[in-house]
């Protein structure tokens, strides 16, 4: 009796159709497995490449963050506090930033006359030295860092220095080269007159010693407005600065409308005639201070009106009686007189009214 083959393979071999179908299924299976295998390999390669790129990006970002950009060389810095650990200066987009790190938070606060971070009442004043020893003070700003022991002193307003340096030293001052000049950073208290200290610098003397040895005799001022707490001056043959410090923000705002609706001027008498001139003014809001400036360029124009010659800026403010007042066009307010009392504003107004 003939034995029947009942196995699956036996059935396939006896049927050509099944043979073709079997081979087709096997071929498709092999193709699918090959395709999936390549897709998995490609995906793994893609993920590895992305991981490498990400690691390189993180490494590059870390490198950029840890390497200071636009670092400024400021020479040999004298640290006037033993608690200062490091000093670093960089040029930012529109200002200079000097970062000072102290040993700890207590040291930082002590040097800034403060008990805590909320009671810091000092302004960093950048002091530069031009014209064979004239001290130029540029108030800046400060920011306490989150580590509690570092502070950044910022300087952005440098036009005052740039203008006078061009006149006295024939030099050009920019943010790129300003810190190559010898300087001090002085911490000036905002409300207590005479309270402050030099924290660091590259100049041969600190601010306290320089002012003790070289400071000029201040103007004699009379009939000073009750709203003013302090008047300081910087005097040279080419320019005069008169810094007017007001008692508080309220008084400061009273005389300062961002110079849109007000101006500060002075008047004097020469050869029996009265003359009036406007100051150029810079505002320093954090000190409640207005800096009134007069220089040789303005002096040349004033001398034409006075029909005079051989009078420099220094002589004008040291030898003449000068009245200073503020005007917002509608109202005029006397601020003080220099050297002696003189009523220029009142006499000019009477003369104008008489002409009308």
């Amino acid at each position: 009796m003939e034995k029947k083959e009942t196995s699956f393979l036996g059935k396939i071999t006896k049927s050509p159709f099944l043979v073709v179908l079997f081979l087709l299924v096997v071929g498709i299976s092999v193709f699918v497995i090959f395709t999936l295998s390549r897709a998995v390999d490609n995906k793994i390669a893609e993920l590895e490449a992305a991981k490498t790129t990400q690691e390189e990006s993180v490494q590059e970002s870390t490198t950029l963050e840890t390497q200071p950009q636009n670092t400024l060389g400021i020479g040999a810095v004298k640290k006037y506090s033993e608690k200062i650990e490091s000093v670093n200066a960089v040029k930012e987009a529109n200002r200079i930033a000097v970062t000072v790190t102290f040993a700890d938070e207590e040291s930082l606060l002590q040097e800034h006359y403060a008990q805590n971070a909320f009671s810091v009442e000092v302004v960093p004043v950048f002091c530069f030295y031009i014209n064979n020893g004239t001290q130029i003070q540029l108030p800046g700003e400060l920011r306490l860092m989150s580590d509690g022991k570092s502070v950044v002193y910022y300087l952005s307003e440098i036009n005052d220095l740039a203008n006078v340096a061009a006149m006295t030293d024939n030099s050009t001052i920019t943010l790129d080269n300003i810190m190559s000049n010898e300087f001090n950073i002085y911490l000036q208290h905002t409300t207590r007159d005479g309270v402050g200290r030099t924290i660091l610098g590259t100049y041969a003397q600190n601010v306290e010693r320089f002012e003790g040895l070289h400071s000029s005799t201040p103007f004699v001022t009379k009939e000073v407005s009750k709203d003013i707490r302090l008047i300081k001056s910087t005097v040279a043959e080419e320019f005069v600065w008169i810094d007017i410090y007001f008692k508080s923000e309220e008084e400061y705002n009273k005389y300062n409308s961002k110079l849109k609706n007000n101006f500060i001027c002075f008047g004097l008498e020469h050869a029996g005639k009265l003359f009036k001139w406007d100051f150029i003014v810079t505002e320093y809001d954090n000190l409640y201070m207005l800096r009134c400036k007069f220089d040789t360029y303005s002096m040349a124009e004033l001398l034409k009106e006075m029909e005079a010659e051989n009078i420099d800026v220094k002589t004008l403010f040291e030898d003449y009686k000068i009245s200073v007042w503020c005007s917002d066009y509608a109202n005029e307010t006397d601020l003080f007189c220099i050297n002696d009392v003189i009523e220029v504003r009142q006499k000019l107004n009477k003369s104008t009214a008489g002409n009308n």
Side-chain angles (χ1 to χ4, degrees), residues 204-244:
Q205 302 167 343
N206 61 21
V207 174
E208 296 91 320
R209 181 165 176 78
F210 177 88
E211 292 185 344
L213 294 175
H214 309 293
S215 60
S216 58
T217 303
F219 293 138
V220 174
T221 55
K222 297 187 176 182
E223 295 196 348
V224 179
S225 168
K226 61 181 179 59
D227 295 329
I228 297 173
R229 67 176 179 84
L230 178 66
I231 299 171
K232 295 173 63 177
S233 59
T234 304
V235 183
E237 292 182 1
E238 301 88 350
F239 72 95
V240 164
W241 290 354
I242 302 175
D243 296 344
I244 307 173

Side-chain angles (χ1 to χ4, degrees), residues 25-42:
V25 170
V26 171
I28 292 173
S29 300
V30 171
F31 176 78
V32 170
I33 292 173
F34 178 76
T35 301
L36 289 175
S37 177
R38 287 192 62 183
V40 171
D41 290 341
N42 290 339

Side-chain angles (χ1 to χ4, degrees), residues 3 37 65 121 133 146 151 169 172 180 189 198 207 221 237 276 281 295 311 326 347 352:
K3 186 177 180 179
S37 177
E65 290 177 0
E121 295 183 348
S146 58
V151 59
D169 297 344
T172 301
S180 64
H189 204 282
T198 305
V207 174
T221 55
E237 292 182 1
K276 168 185 168 295
V281 181
D295 58 33
I311 304 175
C326 179
K347 292 179 180 179
T352 303

Side-chain angles (χ1 to χ4, degrees), residues 203-309:
Y203 192 61
Q205 302 167 343
N206 61 21
V207 174
E208 296 91 320
R209 181 165 176 78
F210 177 88
E211 292 185 344
L213 294 175
H214 309 293
S215 60
S216 58
T217 303
F219 293 138
V220 174
T221 55
K222 297 187 176 182
E223 295 196 348
V224 179
S225 168
K226 61 181 179 59
D227 295 329
I228 297 173
R229 67 176 179 84
L230 178 66
I231 299 171
K232 295 173 63 177
S233 59
T234 304
V235 183
E237 292 182 1
E238 301 88 350
F239 72 95
V240 164
W241 290 354
I242 302 175
D243 296 344
I244 307 173
Y245 293 83
F246 294 90
K247 290 184 176 179
S248 69
E249 184 177 6
E250 180 181 357
E251 284 83 4
Y252 172 75
N253 291 332
K254 176 181 177 181
Y255 297 100
N256 175 41
S257 301
K258 294 300 179 184
L259 302 182
K260 295 179 181 179
N261 300 311
N262 71 303
F263 54 91
I264 295 179
C265 52
F266 69 91
L268 56 92
E269 182 179 355
H270 174 76
K273 296 181 181 179
L274 299 173
F275 300 90
K276 168 185 168 295
W277 201 264
D278 294 341
F279 284 112
I280 297 173
V281 181
T282 304
E283 310 109 314
Y284 290 100
D285 297 346
N286 53 357
L287 283 172
Y288 309 138
M289 184 260 280
L290 296 177
R291 172 167 288 166
C292 303
K293 299 172 292 186
F294 184 78
D295 58 33
T296 53
Y297 301 115
S298 298
M299 187 75 217
E301 297 299 319
L302 178 57
L303 287 177
K304 290 180 181 179
E305 290 192 14
M306 295 170 59
E307 298 180 346
E309 56 185 19

Side-chain angles (χ1 to χ4, degrees), residues 74-80 84 87-88 98 183 199-203:
I74 55 177
V77 178
K78 297 180 181 180
K79 304 171 184 176
Y80 292 100
I84 294 178
V87 179
N88 179 58
V98 179
F183 70 92
I199 196 69
L200 59 91
T202 61
Y203 192 61

